[in-house]
Protein backbone atom coordinates (compact mmCIF):
# COMPACT_ATOMS: atom_id res chain seq x y z
CA UNK A 1 0.00 0.00 0.00
CA UNK A 2 1.19 3.50 -0.88
CA UNK A 3 2.18 5.81 1.99
CA UNK A 4 0.19 9.03 2.01
CA UNK A 5 2.42 12.10 1.64
CA UNK A 6 1.48 15.26 3.53
CA UNK A 7 3.10 18.62 2.89
CA UNK A 8 3.10 20.75 6.06
CA UNK A 9 3.69 24.43 5.33
CA UNK A 10 4.03 26.69 8.38
CA UNK A 11 6.54 29.25 9.65
CA UNK A 12 6.19 28.15 13.32
CA UNK A 13 8.98 25.57 13.58
CA UNK A 14 8.30 24.39 17.14
CA UNK A 15 4.60 23.65 16.61
CA UNK A 16 5.22 22.24 13.14
CA UNK A 17 7.74 19.69 14.42
CA UNK A 18 5.32 18.61 17.13
CA UNK A 19 2.50 18.21 14.62
CA UNK A 20 4.85 16.40 12.23
CA UNK A 21 5.75 13.82 14.90
CA UNK A 22 2.09 13.17 15.74
CA UNK A 23 1.16 12.69 12.08
CA UNK A 24 4.17 10.45 11.36
CA UNK A 25 3.25 8.30 14.37
CA UNK A 26 0.03 7.46 12.49
CA UNK A 27 2.03 6.15 9.54
CA UNK A 28 1.98 9.13 7.17
CA UNK A 29 4.98 10.67 5.44
CA UNK A 30 5.31 14.37 6.31
CA UNK A 31 7.42 16.86 4.38
CA UNK A 32 7.93 20.26 6.03
CA UNK A 33 8.33 23.68 4.42
CA UNK A 34 8.93 26.81 6.51
CA UNK A 35 7.24 29.35 4.22
CA UNK A 36 4.81 29.58 1.33
CA UNK A 37 7.42 30.08 -1.37
CA UNK A 38 9.33 26.93 -0.37
CA UNK A 39 6.02 25.11 0.08
CA UNK A 40 4.94 25.94 -3.48
CA UNK A 41 8.26 24.69 -4.86
CA UNK A 42 7.98 21.47 -2.83
CA UNK A 43 4.38 20.97 -3.98
CA UNK A 44 5.47 21.11 -7.61
CA UNK A 45 8.31 18.67 -6.93
CA UNK A 46 6.68 16.01 -4.74
CA UNK A 47 2.94 16.31 -5.53
CA UNK A 48 1.67 15.43 -2.02
CA UNK A 49 -1.68 13.80 -1.34
CA UNK A 50 -2.60 16.46 1.23
CA UNK A 51 -1.36 19.94 2.16
CA UNK A 52 -1.66 21.43 5.66
CA UNK A 53 -1.14 25.12 5.09
CA UNK A 54 -0.81 28.12 7.41
CA UNK A 55 -2.31 31.30 6.00
CA UNK A 56 -0.06 33.90 7.69
CA UNK A 57 3.51 33.33 6.51
CA UNK A 58 6.41 35.37 5.17
CA UNK A 59 7.43 35.24 1.50
CA UNK A 60 4.07 33.89 0.28
CA UNK A 61 0.95 33.47 2.41
CA UNK A 62 -1.37 30.48 2.41
CA UNK A 63 -4.10 32.19 0.40
Amino acid sequence: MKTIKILLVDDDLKNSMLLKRFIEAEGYEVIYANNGKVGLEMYREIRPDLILLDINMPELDGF
Side-chain angles (χ1 to χ4, degrees):
M1 188 164 109
K2 178 185 157 197
T3 303
I4 294 176
K5 288 188 265 185
I6 299 172
L7 176 58
L8 174 59
V9 186
D10 192 342
D11 60 330
D12 185 337
L13 180 62
K14 183 179 175 183
N15 287 331
S16 294
M17 292 301 105
L18 181 61
L19 181 57
K20 182 177 186 289
R21 278 187 278 167
F22 282 130
I23 296 170
E24 288 174 335
E26 296 298 320
Y28 299 101
E29 178 184 349
V30 179
I31 299 95
Y32 173 71
N34 65 351
N35 67 53
K37 188 174 181 181
V38 172
L40 183 58
E41 291 169 9
M42 293 178 88
Y43 166 77
R44 290 177 177 149
E45 182 180 323
I46 64 172
R47 296 294 182 174
D49 299 297
L50 176 72
I51 301 172
L52 297 176
L53 183 62
D54 183 19
I55 58 171
N56 291 322
M57 292 181 291
E59 302 278 334
L60 181 64
D61 64 29
F63 289 112

